[in-house]
């Protein structure tokens, strides 16, 4: 048997991960630049905040997708497969939670800036409340990911 035949799954998995990284950075470079141009033309500044906030975690999300796809290509022992899936899902949940908390805070800041009669201390407290709420919901989703029932909470 040839080298390629013996290691096809590992080569395919490495290729999937490498392509996911490349696609993640390409999408950030090409797609988000185009979206930013489109959102600059709108009056609402929230869409600018959404596009700007996706810029950071997008390659990570592609990378996680590539790792998940690669884990399906290679043969992982049955007892490790659920662990790998939960670790990848946990990283994704944490990443999306942090992204959503930051985005919610930014959009709230944009809304508050539009209403100049809002006081600065109250606005700061409200931003922290929004961020804490999103982080709490993300924590509950993470607990549910590990099979800890959140219904009693």
């Amino acid at each position: 048997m040839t080298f390629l035949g013996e290691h096809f799954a590992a080569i395919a998995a490495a290729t999937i991960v490498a392509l996911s990284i490349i696609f993640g950075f390409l999408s950030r470079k090409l797609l988000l630049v185009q979206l930013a141009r489109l959102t600059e033309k709108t009056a609402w500044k929230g869409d600018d905040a959404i596009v700007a906030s996706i810029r950071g975690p997008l390659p990570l999300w592609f990378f996680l997708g590539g790792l998940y796809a690669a884990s399906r290509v290679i043969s992982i022992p049955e007892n490790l497969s659920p662990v790998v899936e939960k670790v990848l899902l946990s990283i994704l949940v944490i990443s999306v939670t942090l992204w959503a908390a930051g985005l919610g805070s930014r959009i709230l800041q944009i809304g508050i800036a539009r209403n100049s009669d809002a006081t600065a201390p109250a606005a700061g407290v409200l931003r922290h409340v929004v961020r804490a709420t999103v982080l709490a919901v993300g924590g509950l989703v993470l607990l549910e990911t590990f099979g800890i029932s959140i219904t009693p909470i």
Side-chain angles (χ1 to χ4, degrees):
M1 191 171 244
T2 66
F3 177 80
L4 181 63
E6 290 177 13
H7 302 291
F8 179 76
I11 293 169
T15 303
I16 289 169
V17 171
L19 286 174
S20 71
I21 293 169
I22 291 169
F23 285 145
F25 283 106
L26 279 177
S27 66
R28 181 167 78 176
K29 183 72 176 166
L30 301 175
L31 179 67
L32 289 183
V33 168
Q34 294 299 321
L35 282 175
R37 286 185 187 147
L38 288 174
T39 60
E40 286 174 356
K41 298 175 184 176
T42 63
W44 186 54
K45 297 301 176 196
D47 53 2
D48 296 329
I50 293 170
V51 171
S53 69
I54 292 176
R55 186 170 178 71
L58 190 63
L60 173 66
W61 296 340
F62 270 89
F63 177 63
L64 290 173
L67 284 178
Y68 179 77
S71 74
R72 294 301 195 181
V73 171
I74 60 174
S75 58
I76 297 177
E78 271 187 46
N79 58 344
L80 288 181
S81 183
V83 173
V84 170
E85 287 180 15
K86 284 188 180 186
V87 166
L88 291 175
L89 184 58
S90 298
I91 295 170
L92 180 65
V93 167
I94 291 168
S95 171
V96 169
T97 300
L98 292 174
W99 168 75
L103 178 63
S105 178
R106 262 188 231 117
I107 288 179
L108 183 65
Q109 183 178 9
I110 290 169
I112 290 171
R114 237 181 31 197
N115 298 331
S116 60
D117 58 342
T119 61
V125 169
L126 189 57
R127 284 182 53 219
H128 288 297
V129 167
V130 167
R131 183 176 294 233
T133 303
V134 173
L135 290 174
V137 170
L140 292 174
V141 171
L142 190 60
L143 288 174
E144 189 70 35
T145 300
F146 285 115
I148 300 170
S149 178
I150 61 172
T151 306
I153 299 175

